[in-house]
Coordinates of all heavy atoms in Angstrom, one line a residue:
M1 N 0.8 -1.3 0.0 CA 0.0 0.0 0.0 C 0.9 1.2 0.0 O 2.0 1.2 0.5 CB -0.9 -0.1 1.2 CG -1.9 -1.2 1.2 SD -3.0 -1.0 2.7 CE -4.0 0.3 2.3
T2 N 0.4 2.3 -0.6 CA 1.1 3.6 -0.5 C 0.6 4.5 0.6 O -0.4 4.2 1.3 CB 0.8 4.4 -1.9 OG1 -0.7 4.7 -1.9 CG2 1.0 3.4 -3.0
R3 N 1.4 5.5 0.8 CA 1.1 6.4 1.8 C -0.3 7.1 1.7 O -1.0 7.3 2.6 CB 2.2 7.5 1.8 CG 1.8 8.6 2.8 CD 2.9 9.8 2.6 NE 2.6 10.9 3.6 CZ 3.4 11.9 3.8 NH1 4.5 11.9 3.3 NH2 3.0 12.8 4.7
N4 N -0.7 7.3 0.4 CA -2.0 7.9 0.2 C -3.0 6.8 0.5 O -4.2 7.2 1.0 CB -2.2 8.2 -1.3 CG -1.5 9.5 -1.7 OD1 -1.1 10.3 -0.8 ND2 -1.0 9.7 -2.9
D5 N -2.8 5.5 0.3 CA -3.8 4.5 0.7 C -4.0 4.6 2.2 O -5.2 4.5 2.7 CB -3.4 3.2 0.3 CG -3.3 2.9 -1.2 OD1 -4.0 3.5 -1.9 OD2 -2.3 2.1 -1.6
Y6 N -2.9 4.8 3.0 CA -3.0 4.8 4.3 C -3.7 6.1 4.8 O -4.5 6.1 5.7 CB -1.7 4.8 5.1 CG -1.0 3.4 4.9 CD1 0.3 3.3 4.3 CD2 -1.6 2.2 5.4 CE1 0.8 2.1 4.1 CE2 -0.9 0.9 5.2 CZ 0.3 0.9 4.7 OH 0.8 -0.3 4.5
E7 N -3.5 7.2 4.2 CA -4.1 8.4 4.5 C -5.7 8.3 4.2 O -6.5 8.8 5.0 CB -3.6 9.5 3.6 CG -2.3 10.0 4.0 CD -1.8 11.2 3.3 OE1 -2.4 12.3 3.3 OE2 -0.6 11.2 2.8
N8 N -6.1 7.6 3.2 CA -7.5 7.4 2.9 C -8.1 6.6 4.0 O -9.3 6.8 4.4 CB -7.7 6.8 1.5 CG -7.5 7.8 0.5 OD1 -7.5 9.0 0.6 ND2 -7.0 7.3 -0.7
L9 N -7.4 5.6 4.4 CA -8.0 4.6 5.6 C -8.2 5.5 6.9 O -9.1 5.1 7.5 CB -7.0 3.6 5.9 CG -6.9 2.4 4.8 CD1 -5.8 1.4 5.1 CD2 -8.3 1.6 4.7
L10 N -7.4 6.4 7.0 CA -7.6 7.3 8.3 C -9.0 8.0 8.3 O -9.4 8.5 9.5 CB -6.6 8.3 8.4 CG -5.1 7.7 8.8 CD1 -4.1 8.9 8.7 CD2 -5.1 7.0 10.1
N11 N -9.7 8.1 7.3 CA -11.0 8.7 7.2 C -12.1 7.7 7.6 O -13.2 8.1 7.9 CB -11.2 9.2 5.8 CG -10.4 10.3 5.4 OD1 -10.0 11.1 6.2 ND2 -9.9 10.1 4.1
L12 N -11.8 6.4 7.8 CA -12.8 5.5 8.1 C -13.0 5.4 9.7 O -11.9 5.3 10.6 CB -12.4 4.1 7.6 CG -12.3 3.9 6.2 CD1 -11.8 2.5 5.8 CD2 -13.5 4.2 5.5
A13 N -14.2 5.4 10.1 CA -14.6 5.4 11.6 C -13.9 4.1 12.2 O -13.5 4.1 13.3 CB -16.1 5.5 11.8
T14 N -14.0 3.1 11.6 CA -13.6 1.7 12.0 C -12.0 1.7 12.3 O -11.6 1.2 13.3 CB -14.0 0.5 11.3 OG1 -13.6 0.8 9.9 CG2 -15.4 0.4 11.2
V15 N -11.4 2.3 11.3 CA -9.9 2.5 11.5 C -9.4 3.3 12.6 O -8.6 3.1 13.4 CB -9.3 2.9 10.1 CG1 -7.8 3.2 10.3 CG2 -9.5 1.9 9.1
K16 N -10.2 4.5 12.7 CA -10.0 5.5 13.8 C -10.2 4.8 15.2 O -9.4 5.0 16.1 CB -10.8 6.7 13.7 CG -10.5 7.6 12.6 CD -11.4 8.7 12.6 CE -11.2 9.8 11.4 NZ -12.1 10.8 11.4
A17 N -11.2 4.0 15.2 CA -11.5 3.3 16.5 C -10.5 2.3 16.9 O -10.1 2.1 18.0 CB -12.9 2.6 16.4
F18 N -10.0 1.6 15.8 CA -8.9 0.6 16.0 C -7.7 1.2 16.5 O -7.0 0.8 17.5 CB -8.7 -0.2 14.8 CG -7.7 -1.4 15.0 CD1 -8.1 -2.6 15.7 CD2 -6.4 -1.3 14.6 CE1 -7.2 -3.6 15.9 CE2 -5.5 -2.2 14.9 CZ -5.9 -3.4 15.5
L19 N -7.2 2.3 15.8 CA -6.1 3.1 16.3 C -6.2 3.6 17.8 O -5.2 3.5 18.5 CB -5.8 4.2 15.3 CG -5.2 3.7 13.9 CD1 -5.1 4.9 13.0 CD2 -4.0 2.9 14.0
D20 N -7.4 4.0 18.0 CA -7.7 4.6 19.3 C -7.5 3.5 20.5 O -6.9 3.7 21.5 CB -9.1 5.0 19.5 CG -9.3 6.5 18.9 OD1 -8.3 7.1 18.5 OD2 -10.5 6.9 18.7
T21 N -7.9 2.3 20.1 CA -7.7 1.0 20.9 C -6.3 0.7 21.3 O -5.8 0.6 22.5 CB -8.4 0.0 20.4 OG1 -10.0 0.3 20.3 CG2 -8.3 -1.3 21.3
V22 N -5.4 0.7 20.1 CA -4.0 0.5 20.3 C -3.4 1.7 21.0 O -2.6 1.4 21.9 CB -3.5 0.4 18.7 CG1 -1.9 0.3 18.9 CG2 -4.0 -0.8 18.1
A23 N -3.8 2.8 20.7 CA -3.2 4.0 21.5 C -3.5 4.0 22.9 O -2.6 4.3 23.9 CB -3.7 5.2 20.7
Y24 N -4.6 3.5 23.3 CA -5.0 3.5 24.6 C -4.0 2.5 25.4 O -3.5 2.7 26.5 CB -6.4 3.0 24.8 CG -6.8 2.8 26.3 CD1 -7.2 3.9 27.0 CD2 -6.9 1.5 26.9 CE1 -7.6 3.8 28.4 CE2 -7.2 1.5 28.2 CZ -7.6 2.5 29.0 OH -8.0 2.3 30.3
A25 N -3.6 1.4 24.8 CA -2.9 0.4 25.4 C -1.3 0.9 25.4 O -0.5 0.5 26.3 CB -2.9 -0.9 24.6
E26 N -1.0 1.8 24.5 CA 0.4 2.2 24.4 C 0.6 3.6 25.1 O 1.7 4.1 25.1 CB 0.8 2.4 23.0 CG 0.8 1.0 22.2 CD 1.9 0.1 22.8 OE1 2.8 0.5 23.5 OE2 1.8 -1.1 22.5
G27 N -0.4 4.2 25.8 CA -0.1 5.5 26.5 C -1.0 6.5 26.0 O -1.1 7.6 26.8
G28 N -1.5 6.5 24.8 CA -2.5 7.4 24.2 C -2.2 8.7 23.7 O -3.1 9.3 23.0
T29 N -1.1 9.3 23.9 CA -0.8 10.5 23.3 C 0.3 10.5 22.3 O 1.3 9.8 22.4 CB -0.5 11.6 24.3 OG1 0.7 11.3 25.1 CG2 -1.7 11.7 25.4
Y30 N 0.3 11.5 21.3 CA 1.4 11.7 20.4 C 2.7 12.1 20.8 O 3.8 11.9 20.1 CB 0.8 12.6 19.3 CG -0.4 12.1 18.5 CD1 -1.6 12.5 18.7 CD2 -0.2 11.1 17.4 CE1 -2.8 11.9 18.0 CE2 -1.2 10.5 16.8 CZ -2.4 11.0 17.1 OH -3.5 10.5 16.2
N31 N 2.8 12.7 22.0 CA 4.0 13.2 22.6 C 4.5 12.4 23.8 O 5.4 13.0 24.6 CB 3.9 14.7 22.8 CG 3.0 15.0 23.9 OD1 2.0 14.2 24.3 ND2 3.1 16.1 24.6
K32 N 4.1 11.3 23.9 CA 4.5 10.5 25.2 C 5.8 9.6 24.8 O 6.0 9.2 23.7 CB 3.3 9.5 25.4 CG 3.6 8.6 26.6 CD 3.2 9.2 28.0 CE 1.8 9.6 28.0 NZ 1.3 10.0 29.3
V33 N 6.6 9.6 25.9 CA 7.9 8.7 25.7 C 7.7 7.5 26.7 O 6.9 7.8 27.7 CB 9.2 9.5 26.0 CG1 9.4 10.5 24.9 CG2 9.2 10.1 27.4
F34 N 8.4 6.5 26.5 CA 8.3 5.4 27.4 C 8.7 5.8 28.7 O 9.5 6.8 29.1 CB 9.5 4.4 27.0 CG 9.6 3.3 27.8 CD1 8.8 2.1 27.9 CD2 10.7 3.2 28.9 CE1 9.0 1.2 28.8 CE2 10.9 2.3 29.8 CZ 10.0 1.1 29.7
G35 N 7.9 5.3 29.7 CA 8.1 5.7 31.2 C 7.2 6.7 31.6 O 7.1 7.1 32.8
G36 N 6.5 7.4 30.7 CA 5.4 8.3 31.1 C 5.8 9.8 30.9 O 4.9 10.6 30.9
G37 N 7.0 10.2 30.4 CA 7.3 11.5 30.1 C 6.7 12.0 28.8 O 6.1 11.2 28.1
T38 N 7.1 13.2 28.4 CA 6.6 13.7 27.2 C 7.8 14.4 26.4 O 8.8 14.6 27.0 CB 5.5 14.7 27.4 OG1 6.0 15.9 28.2 CG2 4.3 14.2 27.9
F39 N 7.6 14.8 25.1 CA 8.6 15.4 24.4 C 7.9 16.4 23.6 O 6.6 16.4 23.4 CB 9.3 14.4 23.4 CG 8.5 13.7 22.3 CD1 8.5 14.4 21.0 CD2 7.7 12.7 22.5 CE1 7.7 13.9 20.1 CE2 7.1 12.1 21.6 CZ 6.9 12.7 20.3
T40 N 8.7 17.4 23.0 CA 8.0 18.4 22.2 C 8.7 18.3 20.8 O 9.8 17.8 20.6 CB 8.3 19.8 22.7 OG1 9.8 20.1 22.8 CG2 7.5 20.0 24.0
G41 N 8.1 18.9 19.8 CA 8.6 18.9 18.5 C 7.9 17.8 17.6 O 7.2 16.9 18.1
N42 N 8.4 17.8 16.4 CA 7.8 16.8 15.4 C 8.9 15.8 14.9 O 8.8 15.4 13.7 CB 7.2 17.6 14.1 CG 5.8 18.0 14.5 OD1 5.1 17.6 15.3 ND2 5.3 18.9 13.5
Q43 N 9.8 15.5 15.6 CA 10.8 14.5 15.4 C 10.8 13.4 16.4 O 10.6 13.8 17.7 CB 12.2 15.0 15.1 CG 12.3 16.0 14.0 CD 11.9 15.5 12.7 OE1 12.2 14.2 12.4 NE2 11.3 16.2 11.8
H44 N 11.0 12.2 16.2 CA 11.2 11.2 17.3 C 12.2 11.6 18.2 O 13.3 11.9 17.6 CB 11.4 9.8 16.6 CG 11.3 8.7 17.5 ND1 12.2 8.5 18.6 CD2 10.5 7.6 17.6 CE1 11.9 7.4 19.2 NE2 10.9 6.8 18.7
P45 N 12.0 11.6 19.4 CA 13.0 12.1 20.4 C 14.3 11.4 20.5 O 15.3 11.8 21.0 CB 12.3 12.3 21.7 CG 11.2 11.1 21.5 CD 10.8 11.2 20.2
Q46 N 14.3 10.0 20.1 CA 15.5 9.2 20.3 C 16.0 9.2 21.7 O 17.2 9.0 21.8 CB 16.5 9.5 19.2 CG 16.1 9.5 17.8 CD 17.2 9.9 16.8 OE1 18.4 9.4 16.9 NE2 16.9 10.8 16.0
R47 N 15.3 9.2 22.6 CA 15.8 9.5 23.9 C 15.4 8.1 24.8 O 14.4 7.7 24.8 CB 15.1 10.5 24.6 CG 15.4 10.8 26.1 CD 14.7 12.0 26.6 NE 13.2 11.9 26.5 CZ 12.4 13.0 26.7 NH1 12.9 14.2 26.9 NH2 11.1 12.9 26.6
K48 N 16.5 7.5 25.2 CA 16.4 6.2 26.0 C 16.0 6.6 27.5 O 16.6 7.5 28.0 CB 17.6 5.5 26.0 CG 17.9 4.8 24.6 CD 19.1 3.9 24.7 CE 19.2 3.4 23.3 NZ 20.3 2.4 23.2
V49 N 15.0 6.0 28.0 CA 14.4 6.2 29.3 C 14.4 4.8 30.0 O 14.1 3.8 29.4 CB 12.9 6.8 29.2 CG1 12.4 6.9 30.6 CG2 13.1 8.1 28.5
S50 N 14.8 4.8 31.2 CA 14.7 3.7 32.0 C 13.6 3.8 33.0 O 13.5 4.8 33.7 CB 16.0 3.4 32.9 OG 17.0 3.1 32.0
A51 N 12.7 2.8 33.1 CA 11.6 2.8 34.0 C 11.1 1.3 34.3 O 11.1 0.5 33.2 CB 10.4 3.5 33.4
G52 N 10.8 1.0 35.5 CA 10.3 -0.4 35.8 C 11.1 -1.4 35.4 O 10.8 -2.5 35.1
G53 N 12.5 -1.2 35.5 CA 13.5 -2.3 35.0 C 13.8 -2.5 33.6 O 14.5 -3.4 33.2
Y54 N 13.1 -1.6 32.8 CA 13.4 -1.7 31.4 C 14.0 -0.2 30.8 O 13.8 0.6 31.4 CB 12.1 -1.8 30.6 CG 11.4 -3.2 31.1 CD1 10.4 -3.2 31.9 CD2 11.8 -4.4 30.3 CE1 9.9 -4.4 32.3 CE2 11.2 -5.5 30.7 CZ 10.3 -5.7 31.7 OH 9.7 -6.8 31.9
T55 N 14.6 -0.3 29.7 CA 15.1 0.9 29.1 C 14.7 0.7 27.6 O 14.8 -0.2 27.0 CB 16.7 0.9 29.1 OG1 17.1 0.9 30.5 CG2 17.1 2.1 28.3
S56 N 14.1 1.9 27.1 CA 13.6 2.0 25.8 C 13.5 3.4 25.2 O 13.6 4.3 26.0 CB 12.0 1.5 25.8 OG 11.4 1.5 24.6
D57 N 13.6 3.5 23.9 CA 13.4 4.9 23.4 C 12.1 5.0 22.5 O 11.9 5.8 21.6 CB 14.6 5.1 22.3 CG 14.6 4.2 21.1 OD1 13.7 3.3 21.0 OD2 15.5 4.4 20.2
A58 N 11.1 4.1 23.0 CA 9.8 4.2 22.4 C 9.2 5.6 22.7 O 9.4 6.2 23.7 CB 9.0 3.1 22.9
A59 N 8.5 6.0 21.7 CA 7.8 7.3 21.8 C 6.6 7.4 20.9 O 6.5 6.6 19.9 CB 8.8 8.4 21.4
G60 N 5.6 8.3 21.2 CA 4.6 8.6 20.4 C 3.3 7.8 20.8 O 3.3 7.1 21.7
R61 N 2.2 8.0 20.0 CA 0.9 7.5 20.4 C 1.0 5.9 20.3 O 0.3 5.2 21.0 CB -0.1 8.0 19.3 CG -1.4 7.6 19.8 CD -2.6 8.3 18.8 NE -3.8 8.2 19.5 CZ -4.9 7.9 18.9 NH1 -4.9 7.6 17.6 NH2 -6.1 7.9 19.5
Y62 N 1.9 5.4 19.5 CA 1.9 3.9 19.3 C 3.3 3.4 19.9 O 3.6 2.2 19.6 CB 1.8 3.5 17.8 CG 0.6 4.2 17.4 CD1 0.5 5.3 16.5 CD2 -0.8 3.7 17.7 CE1 -0.6 5.9 16.1 CE2 -1.9 4.4 17.2 CZ -1.8 5.5 16.4 OH -2.9 6.1 16.0
Q63 N 4.1 4.1 20.6 CA 5.3 3.8 21.2 C 6.2 3.1 20.2 O 6.8 2.0 20.4 CB 5.1 2.9 22.4 CG 4.4 3.6 23.6 CD 5.3 4.7 24.2 OE1 6.2 4.5 24.8 NE2 5.1 6.0 23.7
F64 N 6.6 3.8 19.2 CA 7.5 3.4 18.1 C 8.9 3.5 18.7 O 9.4 4.5 19.2 CB 7.5 4.4 16.9 CG 6.3 4.1 16.0 CD1 5.2 4.9 16.1 CD2 6.5 3.1 15.0 CE1 4.2 4.7 15.0 CE2 5.4 2.9 14.1 CZ 4.3 3.7 14.2
L65 N 9.6 2.4 18.6 CA 11.1 2.4 18.8 C 11.8 3.3 17.7 O 11.2 3.3 16.6 CB 11.7 1.1 18.9 CG 11.2 0.1 19.9 CD1 11.8 -1.3 19.6 CD2 11.6 0.5 21.2
Y66 N 12.7 3.9 17.9 CA 13.3 4.8 16.9 C 13.7 3.9 15.6 O 13.5 4.4 14.6 CB 14.6 5.6 17.4 CG 15.2 6.4 16.4 CD1 14.5 7.5 15.9 CD2 16.4 6.1 15.7 CE1 15.0 8.3 14.8 CE2 16.9 6.8 14.8 CZ 16.3 7.9 14.2 OH 16.8 8.7 13.1
S67 N 14.3 2.8 15.9 CA 14.7 2.0 14.8 C 13.5 1.6 13.9 O 13.6 1.7 12.6 CB 15.5 0.6 15.2 OG 14.7 -0.1 16.2
S68 N 12.4 1.2 14.5 CA 11.2 0.9 13.7 C 10.7 2.1 13.0 O 10.1 2.0 11.8 CB 10.1 0.3 14.7 OG 10.6 -0.9 15.3
W69 N 10.6 3.3 13.7 CA 10.1 4.5 13.2 C 10.9 4.9 11.9 O 10.5 5.2 10.8 CB 10.1 5.7 14.1 CG 9.9 7.0 13.5 CD1 10.8 7.8 13.1 CD2 8.6 7.3 12.9 NE1 10.2 9.0 12.4 CE2 8.9 8.7 12.3 CE3 7.4 6.8 12.8 CZ2 7.9 9.3 11.6 CZ3 6.4 7.5 12.1 CH2 6.7 8.8 11.5
K70 N 12.3 4.9 12.0 CA 13.2 5.3 11.0 C 12.9 4.4 9.7 O 12.8 4.9 8.6 CB 14.6 5.2 11.4 CG 15.6 5.9 10.3 CD 17.0 5.8 10.9 CE 17.9 6.3 9.9 NZ 19.3 6.4 10.4
L71 N 12.9 3.2 10.0 CA 12.6 2.2 8.8 C 11.2 2.5 8.1 O 11.2 2.6 6.9 CB 12.6 0.7 9.4 CG 12.4 -0.4 8.3 CD1 13.4 -0.4 7.1 CD2 12.2 -1.7 8.9
T72 N 10.1 2.6 8.9 CA 8.8 2.9 8.4 C 8.8 4.2 7.7 O 8.3 4.4 6.6 CB 7.8 2.8 9.5 OG1 7.8 1.4 10.0 CG2 6.4 3.0 8.9
A73 N 9.3 5.3 8.4 CA 9.5 6.7 7.8 C 10.1 6.6 6.4 O 9.7 7.3 5.5 CB 10.1 7.6 8.8
N74 N 11.2 5.9 6.4 CA 11.9 5.8 5.1 C 11.1 5.1 4.0 O 11.1 5.5 2.9 CB 13.4 5.1 5.2 CG 14.3 6.0 5.9 OD1 14.2 7.3 6.0 ND2 15.3 5.4 6.6
Q75 N 10.5 4.0 4.3 CA 9.7 3.2 3.4 C 8.5 4.1 2.8 O 8.2 4.0 1.6 CB 9.1 2.0 4.1 CG 10.1 1.0 4.4 CD 9.6 -0.2 5.1 OE1 8.5 -0.1 5.8 NE2 10.3 -1.4 5.1
L76 N 7.9 5.0 3.8 CA 6.8 5.6 3.3 C 7.0 7.1 2.9 O 6.2 7.9 2.5 CB 5.7 5.7 4.4 CG 5.2 4.3 4.7 CD1 4.2 4.4 5.9 CD2 4.4 3.6 3.5
G77 N 8.2 7.5 3.1 CA 8.6 9.0 2.8 C 8.1 10.1 3.8 O 7.7 11.1 3.5
L78 N 8.0 9.6 5.1 CA 7.5 10.4 6.1 C 8.6 11.3 6.7 O 9.6 10.8 7.0 CB 6.9 9.6 7.3 CG 5.8 8.6 6.9 CD1 5.4 7.6 8.1 CD2 4.6 9.3 6.2
S79 N 8.4 12.6 6.6 CA 9.5 13.5 6.8 C 9.5 14.0 8.4 O 10.6 14.5 8.8 CB 9.3 14.7 6.1 OG 8.2 15.4 6.4
D80 N 8.5 13.7 9.2 CA 8.5 14.1 10.6 C 7.7 13.1 11.4 O 7.1 12.2 10.9 CB 8.0 15.5 10.7 CG 6.6 15.8 10.2 OD1 5.8 14.9 10.4 OD2 6.3 16.8 9.8
F81 N 7.6 13.3 12.6 CA 6.9 12.5 13.7 C 5.6 13.1 14.0 O 5.2 13.1 15.2 CB 7.8 12.2 14.9 CG 7.5 11.1 15.7 CD1 7.5 9.7 15.2 CD2 7.4 11.1 17.1 CE1 7.2 8.7 16.0 CE2 7.1 10.0 17.9 CZ 7.0 8.8 17.3
S82 N 4.9 13.7 13.1 CA 3.7 14.5 13.4 C 2.6 13.4 13.7 O 2.7 12.3 13.3 CB 3.3 15.2 12.2 OG 3.0 14.5 11.1
P83 N 1.6 13.9 14.3 CA 0.4 12.9 14.6 C -0.1 12.2 13.4 O -0.3 11.0 13.5 CB -0.6 13.8 15.2 CG 0.2 14.9 16.0 CD 1.3 15.2 15.0
K84 N -0.3 12.9 12.3 CA -0.8 12.2 11.2 C 0.2 11.2 10.7 O -0.2 10.0 10.2 CB -1.0 13.2 10.0 CG -1.6 12.7 8.7 CD -1.8 13.7 7.7 CE -2.5 13.2 6.4 NZ -2.8 14.2 5.5
N85 N 1.5 11.5 10.7 CA 2.5 10.5 10.2 C 2.6 9.3 11.2 O 2.8 8.2 10.7 CB 3.8 11.1 9.9 CG 3.9 11.9 8.7 OD1 3.0 11.8 7.9 ND2 4.9 12.9 8.5
Q86 N 2.5 9.6 12.4 CA 2.4 8.4 13.4 C 1.2 7.5 13.0 O 1.3 6.3 13.2 CB 2.3 8.9 14.9 CG 3.6 9.7 15.4 CD 3.3 10.1 16.7 OE1 2.9 9.2 17.6 NE2 3.9 11.3 17.1
D87 N 0.0 8.1 12.7 CA -1.2 7.3 12.4 C -0.8 6.5 11.1 O -1.2 5.3 11.1 CB -2.2 8.1 12.2 CG -2.8 8.7 13.5 OD1 -2.5 8.2 14.6 OD2 -3.7 9.7 13.4
I88 N -0.3 7.1 10.2 CA 0.1 6.5 8.9 C 1.0 5.3 9.1 O 0.8 4.1 8.6 CB 0.6 7.4 7.9 CG1 -0.5 8.4 7.3 CG2 1.3 6.7 6.7 CD1 0.0 9.6 6.6
A89 N 2.0 5.6 9.9 CA 3.0 4.5 10.2 C 2.4 3.3 11.0 O 2.8 2.2 10.8 CB 4.2 5.1 11.0
A90 N 1.5 3.7 11.8 CA 0.9 2.6 12.7 C 0.1 1.6 11.7 O 0.1 0.4 11.9 CB -0.1 3.2 13.7
L91 N -0.7 2.2 10.8 CA -1.4 1.5 9.8 C -0.4 0.6 9.0 O -0.8 -0.6 8.7 CB -2.3 2.4 9.0 CG -3.6 3.0 9.6 CD1 -4.3 3.9 8.5 CD2 -4.5 1.9 10.2
H92 N 0.6 1.0 8.6 CA 1.6 0.4 7.8 C 2.1 -0.8 8.6 O 2.2 -2.0 8.1 CB 2.8 1.3 7.5 CG 3.8 0.5 6.7 ND1 3.7 0.2 5.3 CD2 5.1 0.1 7.1 CE1 4.8 -0.3 5.0 NE2 5.7 -0.4 6.0
E93 N 2.3 -0.5 9.8 CA 2.9 -1.7 10.7 C 1.8 -2.8 11.0 O 2.1 -4.0 11.1 CB 3.3 -1.1 12.1 CG 4.6 -0.3 12.0 CD 5.8 -1.1 11.2 OE1 6.1 -2.2 11.8 OE2 6.3 -0.5 10.3
I94 N 0.5 -2.4 11.0 CA -0.6 -3.3 11.3 C -0.7 -4.0 10.0 O -0.8 -5.3 10.0 CB -1.8 -2.5 11.6 CG1 -1.7 -1.9 13.0 CG2 -3.1 -3.5 11.5 CD1 -2.8 -0.8 13.2

């Protein structure tokens, strides 16, 4: 599928509901980092956080690891970590 295909899917109520369900389990907000903190800006923060005995650089509504984000962003031509691009990338991963 292409980026445009994913963008079109974002208009479907069922797709939005599914993404909301995934996001709820992952922390729910577009600017959340692993461990509960937040970040600002439209780029993946690439910040490793230790919490609960784990260390991760997961960030965003779907808790993308930086390595996963970079691969998906390159495949789809996503230039930033904006909310819309996080949604597109989540659909691609699904």
Side-chain angles (χ1 to χ4, degrees):
M1 294 183 71
T2 68
R3 178 182 176 167
N4 287 339
D5 293 330
Y6 294 122
E7 286 186 50
N8 290 333
L9 287 173
L10 292 175
N11 295 317
L12 300 175
T14 53
V15 170
K16 288 179 184 178
F18 185 78
L19 289 177
D20 286 346
T21 301
V22 172
Y24 176 80
E26 294 293 346
T29 64
Y30 291 102
N31 67 334
K32 181 85 66 173
V33 295
F34 173 77
T38 59
F39 69 94
T40 58
N42 275 342
Q43 297 301 321
H44 190 291
Q46 302 179 50
R47 180 174 57 193
K48 290 188 178 183
V49 176
S50 295
Y54 298 95
T55 300
S56 179
D57 67 355
R61 191 170 196 229
Y62 310 101
Q63 292 295 283
F64 282 101
L65 297 173
Y66 179 69
S67 58
S68 298
W69 168 254
K70 187 173 179 178
L71 178 64
T72 300
N74 286 338
Q75 289 172 340
L76 297 175
L78 305 175
S79 61
D80 61 35
F81 200 55
S82 64
K84 182 177 180 179
N85 285 344
Q86 289 183 45
D87 290 344
I88 289 168
L91 287 178
H92 177 75
E93 293 300 306
I94 292 166

